[in-house]
């Protein structure tokens, strides 16, 4: 009932009437008194809050979160203290998931394209119509026995969504390609090759005494940053002696900034550095001699060619060779003597044409210091507890994408279904995906936001936000024991009021509906996605072990949802350490894309702390989160060494054109003292053609200018192997950054607040 | 309820500069969206911020991170200059900002050596749907008002009320009471608690680190502001004496 001010005053005039109204509103009377101007508004707290446990979908690894819900609206995200991955802490990205839920540009119902493809013109249709259109195309394919012309493009899927998608493709036909712009293909291969493991092991930073990492920005964006950060806190100031941390990288990342020592390495020479470290350990007899013997094939592999003095100039051209050699010796001795020690790598170290060699050399170091499957070292993870519910599967290497694109060009792909992936944004232009997409008759997108791929699609079936829907996740890497993280709706769907024909739906449910319409039996244990999930929980219940013990399934189910998942600290990996350490890889030199004379600088893209691979760009909190080292926000910047920039006459904010052999982009210069001389580093994440009001046409996309080189063995994109040239465009734009927002206090070396001198006290009148 | 003296211990040796605290604070405290222009005008609002300092040049370069928030000073320079008593010290050691009283002279910001007070130069605006996220326990500050870190007083109050209602004592380290930044911190670099309680974690850390060879220091302590935030120095590997930040 609308109430005018006069009516309100009339009603509240009599206390009896007031009591009636207040009672009707359900708010205690004393909470509605006129507020005194001396009171702190925060002293008055109204309303009840409920916290629901679920799983965050904004970080690379499923972290457990609890969400505060008041009056049906999600208000705050915090870490779930019970959850083995993050134990109560969380990242900026988890927090910002709330803004995705209430994003003003969320897609409110199914859309069909009404203009040219890519024109951005869509019309709303009903879900019945949308699903009808999708099944019509799929039925056409199956009628002509051409199911293999279906390509399902997704993010790496885990948990029950992964299971349903797999089942759909297995029963209907078609192929799945998973999209991960800064792919982990090499990492997975190396884990298999060096440790004979199918699942990513846990890196036990927490209990290590010495950590030696290569390339991976593991405190910031790599694999499982919150878990590693939690371990890092303990590693630094925990119950044990403070650990030592050395980071080797071709760029000065946030992780490098936190290392006790940053070793500069030329791009692609991380593996050589690792072999050099191995040489010191082996020649000085500091490591496990049996492992040394195995790694060198009984001395067959001559490590002496990698003695620090012989390779120092190759590892870094910027650091004097004798100093570099000393540094390598020191690090090798520290690593061998301070045990448990742990060596790992990833990120740009893996993203070269010799990525697999680099990574194999790095991870092999763990054998020398007995850190394989040991606390404080590499801890093997067990296989997931439910056989058909996967941890995220092997990612699709770039070479597979290339063959997909060539099939698209040959019109062999007729229907593309895209979920949680943005290949129009994340694949290099040189791959030719955009041009090839016009040969695909139907692109269906399941995205809840109008990202670059959705804008290029023909039909949009908006997905529910992760905070509105069911799912599970098997964190990969896991915590060292079996676990399933549960995701439950913490609020009712935001567009529920639009009725069942509009609004958003869960991906799993839509797939199941489509299968039903196509008469494809998925053989799933339930009619809805929730029932399938519940069946998974029932199977966990039947294991009769783990974190939730209950007399019956109903209590078990409630327990699992309350705690955010199921885990069994006793269910550790039963795999033993490989009986023999595999021999060290044969060194290969990196090959770079672009001629060194015309393209003298080395381009290192890096995942932005907040936007990661670009998926956070739509969220204003993440756009406004300062990058840890540059403090830049909202734009694309390029990190250039300050003295190099000086020589080129480049100031901060100068618009710089970065040109590779495959295209060019512009970014705002950020000269800093830490970037190596021949490197330019550019964050990934901006430069979206669509993506809503906060992402669209903002900054530029560094992925677009990458060369198509790939790791020779795995086919993974060598995204750190492109050479570029840089030049000033003559334009200037202020770089929005946090640094200098606060002026520095005047320095007072003598700790005197006001210095009184005879001149001061005498006064000058 | 006994005497309280809320405060924080920040271990700079654990801080990685990840900014989780910054976003957690923005979410909890209805901080307006810091748009690009706000950064360009140096008017972005971050109740807690992470400062980054360079040391040296490539290849001998280091970057240091230090989170900075309102120090809730015992002798707060912002308090005596407020003509309308909008900022005052409460009996729990909090430096409090009463938005209802504030007339926006900005004297307090001018007098704060830590630069942790922020002025609302604009009426805060959110697209309509994003307002659903706003925390009902926290006032949205209008244009012309000063604001700053409150140590998430709304969480303290709520927890106090609830513990009073349930007849239980407040727990040291209770997450419901801890500020949003503390709960978020992935490395647990931030610890919140009651300095009046000698058994609390913050008191024990402070006592332990204020001994000789300890790492405790306070920001600009020579000003005599008596901050309620104790910092623990970064440890420099190989260096005899650790440097600040």
């Amino acid at each position: 009932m609308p109430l005018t001010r006069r009516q309100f005053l009339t009603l509240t005039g009599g206390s009896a009437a007031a009591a009636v109204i207040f009672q009707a509103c359900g708010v205690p009377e004393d909470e509605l008194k006129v507020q005194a101007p001396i009171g702190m508004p925060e002293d008055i707290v109204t309303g009840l809050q409920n916290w629901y446990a679920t799983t965050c979908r904004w970080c690379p690894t499923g972290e457990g979160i609890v969400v505060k819900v008041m009056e049906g609206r999600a208000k705050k995200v915090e870490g779930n203290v019970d959850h083995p991955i993050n134990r109560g802490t969380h990242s900026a990205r988890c927090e910002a998931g709330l803004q995705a839920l209430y994003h003003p540009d969320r897609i409110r119902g199914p859309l069909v394209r009404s203009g040219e493809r890519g024109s951005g013109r869509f019309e709303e249709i009903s879900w019945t119509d949308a699903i009808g259109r999708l099944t019509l195309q799929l039925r056409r394919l199956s009628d002509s026995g051409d199911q293999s012309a279906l390509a399902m493009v997704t993010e790496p899927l885990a948990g029950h969504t992964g299971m349903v998608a797999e089942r759909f493709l297995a029963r209907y036909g078609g192929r799945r390609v998973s999209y991960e712009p800064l792919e982990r293909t090499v990492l997975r291969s190396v884990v298999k090759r060096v440790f004979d493991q199918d699942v990513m092991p846990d890196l036990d930073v927490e209990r290590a005494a010495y950590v030696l990492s290569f390339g991976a920005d593991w405190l910031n964006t790599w694999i499982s940053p919150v878990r590693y950060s939690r371990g890092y806190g303990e590693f630094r100031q925990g119950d044990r002696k403070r650990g030592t941390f050395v980071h080797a990288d071709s760029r000065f990342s946030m992780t490098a900034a936190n290392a006790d020592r940053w070793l500069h390495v030329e791009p692609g020479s991380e593996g050589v550095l690792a072999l050099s470290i191995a040489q010191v350990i082996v020649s000085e007899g500091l490591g496990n001699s049996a492992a040394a013997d195995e790694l060198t094939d009984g001395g067959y592999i001559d490590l002496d060619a990698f003695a620090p003095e012989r390779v120092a100039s190759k590892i870094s051209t910027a650091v004097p060779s004798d100093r570099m050699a000393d540094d390598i010796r020191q690090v090798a001795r520290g690593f061998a003597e301070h045990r448990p020690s742990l060596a790992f790598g990833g990120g740009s170290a893996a993203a070269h044409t010799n990525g697999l060699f680099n990574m194999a050399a790095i991870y092999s170091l763990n054998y020398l210091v007995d850190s394989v499957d040991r606390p404080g070292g590499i801890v093997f993870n067990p296989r997931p507890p439910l056989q058909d519910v996967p941890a995220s599967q092997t990612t699709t290497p770039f070479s597979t994408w290339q063959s997909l694109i060539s099939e698209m060009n040959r019109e062999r792909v007729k229907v593309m279904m895209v979920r949680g992936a943005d290949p129009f944004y994340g694949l290099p232009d040189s791959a030719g995906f955009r041009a090839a997409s016009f040969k695909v008759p139907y692109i269906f997108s399941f995205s809840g936001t109008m990202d670059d791929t959705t804008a290029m699609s023909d039909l949009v079936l908006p997905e529910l936000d992760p905070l509105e829907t069911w799912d599970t996740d098997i964190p990969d890497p896991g915590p060292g024991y079996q676990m399933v993280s549960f995701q439950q709706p913490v609020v009712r769907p935001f567009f529920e009021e639009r009725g069942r024909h509009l609004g958003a739906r869960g991906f799993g449910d839509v797939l199941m509906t489509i299968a039903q319409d196509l008469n494809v039996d998925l053989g799933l244990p339930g009619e809805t996605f929730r029932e399938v999930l519940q069946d998974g929980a029932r199977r966990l219940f039947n294991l009769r072990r783990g974190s939730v013990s209950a007399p019956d399934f109903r209590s078990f189910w409630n327990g699992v949802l309350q705690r955010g998942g199921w885990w069994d600290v006793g269910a550790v990996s039963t795999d033993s350490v490989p009986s023999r350490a595999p021999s060290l890889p044969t060194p290969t030199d990196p090959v770079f894309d672009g001629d060194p004379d015309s393209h003298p600088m080395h381009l290192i893209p890096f995942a932005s702390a907040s936007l990661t691979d670009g998926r956070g760009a739509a969220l204003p909190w993440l756009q406004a989160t300062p990058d840890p080292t540059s403090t830049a926000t909202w734009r694309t910047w390029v990190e250039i060494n300050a003295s190099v920039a000086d020589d080129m006459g480049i100031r901060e904010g100068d618009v710089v054109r970065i040109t590779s052999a495959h295209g060019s982009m512009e970014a705002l210069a950020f000269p800093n003292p830490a970037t190596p001389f021949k490197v330019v580093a550019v964050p990934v994440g901006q430069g979206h053609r669509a993506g809503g009001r906060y992402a669209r046409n903002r900054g530029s996309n560094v992925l677009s200018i990458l060369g198509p080189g790939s790791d020779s063995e795995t086919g993974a994109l060598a995204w750190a192997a492109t050479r570029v040239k840089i030049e000033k465009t003559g334009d200037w734009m202020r770089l929005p950054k946090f640094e200098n927002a606060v002026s520095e206090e005047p320095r007072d070396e003598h700790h005197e607040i006001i210095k009184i001198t005879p001149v001061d006290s005498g006064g000058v009148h | 309820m006994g005497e309280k003296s809320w405060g924080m211990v920040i271990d700079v040796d654990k801080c990685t500069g990840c900014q989780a605290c910054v976003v957690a604070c923005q979410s909890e405290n209805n901080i307006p969206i810091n748009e690009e222009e706000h950064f360009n005008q140096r008017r972005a609002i971050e109740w807690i911020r992470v400062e980054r300092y360079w040391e040296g040049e490539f290849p001998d370069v280091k970057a240091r991170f230090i989170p900075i928030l309102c120090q809730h000073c015992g002798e707060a320079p912002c308090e005596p200059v407020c003509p309308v008593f909008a900022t005052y010290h409460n009996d729990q050691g909090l430096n409090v900002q009463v938005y209802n009283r504030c007339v926006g002279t900005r004297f307090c910001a001018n007098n704060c050596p830590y630069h942790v007070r922020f002025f609302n130069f604009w009426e805060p605006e959110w697209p309509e749907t994003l307002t659903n996220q706003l925390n009902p326990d926290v006032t949205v500050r209008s244009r012309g008002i000063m604001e700053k870190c409150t140590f998430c007083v709304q969480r303290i109050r709520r927890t106090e009320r609830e513990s009073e209602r349930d007849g239980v004592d407040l727990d040291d380290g209770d997450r419901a009471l801890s500020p949003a930044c503390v709960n978020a911190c992935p490395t647990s670099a931030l610890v919140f608690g009651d300095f009046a309680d000698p058994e609390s974690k913050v008191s024990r850390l402070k006592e332990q680190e204020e001994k000789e060879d300890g790492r405790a220091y306070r920001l600009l302590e020579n000003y005599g502001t008596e901050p309620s935030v104790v910092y623990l120095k970064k440890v420099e590997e190989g260096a005899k004496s650790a440097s600040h930040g």
Side-chain angles (χ1 to χ4, degrees), chain A residues 651-717:
Chain A
R651 297 165 303 154
E652 181 179 305
D654 277 342
V655 179
V656 170
R657 184 174 299 116
I658 305 166
T659 310
S660 75
H662 306 277
S664 71
M665 62 172 284
E666 291 182 355
L668 306 182
F670 178 74
N672 78 22
T675 307
F677 300 132
K678 290 182 194 159
V679 161
V680 288
V682 181
V684 179
Q686 303 281 22
H688 292 267
R689 289 185 165 92
R693 65 189 72 184
Y694 298 107
R696 189 171 48 230
N697 297 333
R698 174 172 288 289
S700 36
N701 179 7
V702 62
L703 298 172
S704 68
I705 66 165
L706 297 181
S710 56
D711 175 63
S712 44
E713 288 181 67
T714 59
L717 178 66

Side-chain angles (χ1 to χ4, degrees), chain A residues 18-35:
Chain A
V20 171
I21 290 182
F22 294 142
Q23 216 157 27
C25 299
V27 179
E29 187 182 352
D30 60 328
E31 302 267 294
L32 281 178
K33 280 179 184 154
V34 174
Q35 194 186 335

Side-chain angles (χ1 to χ4, degrees), chain A residues 154-165:
Chain A
T154 65
E155 61 191 322
L157 292 179
H160 278 82
T161 297
M163 168 191 169
V164 171

Side-chain angles (χ1 to χ4, degrees), chain A residues 180-345:
Chain A
E180 209 177 21
L182 307 176
E183 51 182 286
R184 298 187 204 174
T185 311
V186 177
L187 181 65
R188 287 179 198 284
S189 308
V190 84
V191 160
K192 181 73 187 161
R193 176 171 163 165
V194 177
F195 305 119
D196 195 25
Q197 291 291 301
D198 294 317
V199 276
M200 254 306 283
D202 186 32
L203 307 171
D204 193 0
V205 174
E206 182 174 341
R207 286 179 285 183
Y210 198 104
V211 170
L212 175 58
S213 58
F214 297 72
D217 199 359
W218 55 276
L219 287 170
N220 197 16
T221 51
W222 186 72
I223 308 278
S224 192
V226 175
R227 175 166 173 78
Y228 298 147
S229 296
R230 215 191 57 75
Y232 174 83
E234 290 298 307
F235 168 81
R236 284 306 199 195
Q237 295 291 335
D239 301 333
R240 281 177 296 277
K241 189 170 172 286
R242 182 179 190 272
T244 304
F245 166 34
V246 176
H247 185 67
D249 205 339
S250 51
R251 149 183 180 261
F252 188 81
S253 62
M254 178 264 234
T255 301
N258 284 296
D260 294 304
R261 178 181 287 182
W262 169 50
L263 287 183
H264 167 249
V265 291
E266 296 299 327
S269 62
E270 293 85 351
V272 175
L273 173 62
L275 289 186
S276 189
I277 289 170
Q279 193 275 339
V280 176
I281 297 173
V282 173
S283 67
E284 299 188 5
L286 303 172
N288 179 325
S289 55
D293 207 45
E294 286 159 14
L295 286 170
T296 58
D297 264 350
Y300 179 73
I301 298 173
D302 181 19
L303 271 181
D304 289 342
F306 299 94
E309 290 71 21
R310 298 172 78 168
V311 291
S313 60
K314 189 175 180 182
I315 291 169
S316 172
T317 53
V319 182
S321 296
D322 48 347
R323 208 191 100 188
M324 191 71 200
D326 279 351
D327 284 355
I328 296 171
R329 281 193 191 284
Q330 257 186 44
V331 169
R333 289 171 190 152
F335 176 71
E337 284 162 5
H338 296 88
R339 301 199 197 172
S341 48
L342 168 64
F344 61 93

Side-chain angles (χ1 to χ4, degrees), chain A residues 343-368:
Chain A
F344 61 93
S348 61
H352 287 286
T353 56
N354 63 343
L356 190 67
F357 154 66
N358 287 335
M359 296 281 277
I362 293 163
Y363 282 87
S364 296
L365 291 174
N366 292 296
Y367 281 104
L368 286 175

Side-chain angles (χ1 to χ4, degrees), chain A residues 31 35 37-43 45-47 49 68 70 73 75-76 78-79 81 88-90 92 95 102-104 229-230 232-233 236-237 242 244 252 254 257-258 262 264 318 323 494 620-621 624-626 628-629 633-635 672-674 676-677 694 698 734 736 738-740 742-743 745 753, chain B residues 11 13-20 23-24 26-28 33-36 39-40 42 46 49 52 54 56-63 65 96-101 113 115 127 129-130 132-139 153-155 157-158 161 175 180 183-187 215 220 222-223 235 237:
Chain A
E31 302 267 294
Q35 194 186 335
I38 53 164
M40 178 75 181
E42 272 58 28
D43 287 348
V45 173
T46 57
Q49 50 184 22
K68 176 166 93 173
M70 292 177 85
R73 294 285 181 251
K75 299 293 185 186
K76 181 77 175 68
E78 295 204 347
V81 273
T89 66
H90 69 281
E95 194 85 46
Y102 297 122
H103 200 284
S229 296
R230 215 191 57 75
Y232 174 83
R236 284 306 199 195
Q237 295 291 335
R242 182 179 190 272
T244 304
F252 188 81
M254 178 264 234
N258 284 296
W262 169 50
H264 167 249
R323 208 191 100 188
F494 192 57
W621 277 338
T625 303
T629 46
T633 61
W634 287 102
R635 289 280 157 194
N672 78 22
F677 300 132
Y694 298 107
R698 174 172 288 289
R734 191 180 292 281
F738 191 77
E739 185 180 27
N740 294 344
V742 174
S743 54
E745 277 299 297
I753 295 166
Chain B
D11 191 339
D13 199 30
K14 285 182 171 184
C15 175
T16 63
C18 74
Q19 307 274 347
V23 180
Q26 308 220 319
S27 164
E28 172 72 23
I33 293 168
N34 287 320
E35 289 175 24
E36 185 180 355
F39 283 99
N40 286 341
R42 299 182 178 178
E46 290 187 0
R49 63 173 181 263
R52 188 267 297 117
W54 294 118
E57 284 180 17
F58 174 75
D60 298 308
V61 66
K62 283 183 172 162
F65 302 104
V96 190
Q97 180 75 16
V98 185
Y99 307 128
N100 282 351
R101 291 182 187 170
H115 296 271
T129 47
L130 277 181
N132 284 291
Q133 179 276 325
L134 294 180
N135 185 353
D137 288 350
V138 177
T139 313
V153 62
Q154 69 280 1
R155 298 169 74 114
R157 292 288 172 269
R158 180 182 281 277
R161 279 192 180 202
R175 283 173 64 87
N183 285 354
C185 182
T187 61
R215 297 187 292 131
L220 302 172
N222 51 313
Y223 286 9
V235 176
E237 190 90 345

Side-chain angles (χ1 to χ4, degrees), chain A residues 104 140 236 459 496 530 569 661:
Chain A
R140 277 191 184 161
R236 284 306 199 195
L459 187 72
E496 190 179 49
R530 182 178 184 272
V569 290

